[in-house]
Amino acid sequence: AGKSFVARRFAQQHGFYFHDGDDDLPPDMRHTIATAQKVTDDMRDRFVDAMVARVADLTSKHPRVVLAQTFLKQRHRERFQ
């Protein structure tokens, strides 16, 4: 989809710290995706929890952060508002 490319370019051009959320996918979720199985709601919820914590950590160190990650469910996107 190009989300990482666009986010990385945006970060470079505007002085943001870039983080690719795919780097934080837990092993069970990576395996599920790699083997074309269905990602469960529990996996997504745990991943979003981890991403919220990661963003909190990153924003404590960097004043401007851009995160590249797909959050398919509205309730997950709302956690970052």
Side-chain angles (χ1 to χ4, degrees):
K3 68 187 178 304
S4 297
F5 174 80
V6 171
R8 187 176 283 113
R9 288 291 290 269
F10 180 89
Q12 291 169 344
Q13 293 176 358
H14 299 285
F16 280 66
Y17 178 85
F18 169 78
H19 183 73
D20 190 334
D22 287 350
D23 293 342
D24 295 323
L25 286 170
D28 64 332
M29 198 168 172
R30 278 184 195 277
H31 175 75
T32 299
I33 292 167
T35 57
Q37 297 177 47
K38 183 180 177 192
V39 175
T40 67
D41 284 341
D42 180 62
M43 287 178 186
R44 279 192 196 95
D45 291 344
R46 286 185 287 115
F47 178 62
V48 171
D49 289 345
M51 286 285 66
V52 168
R54 171 71 80 184
V55 169
D57 179 58
L58 290 171
T59 56
S60 75
K61 298 172 185 169
H62 307 280
R64 298 163 23 138
V65 174
V66 63
L67 171 68
Q69 185 54 52
T70 300
F71 296 108
L72 299 174
K73 297 187 182 255
Q74 180 65 29
R75 66 188 171 92
H76 293 149
R77 292 190 296 271
E78 289 172 354
R79 304 241 348 244
F80 292 92
Q81 293 179 349

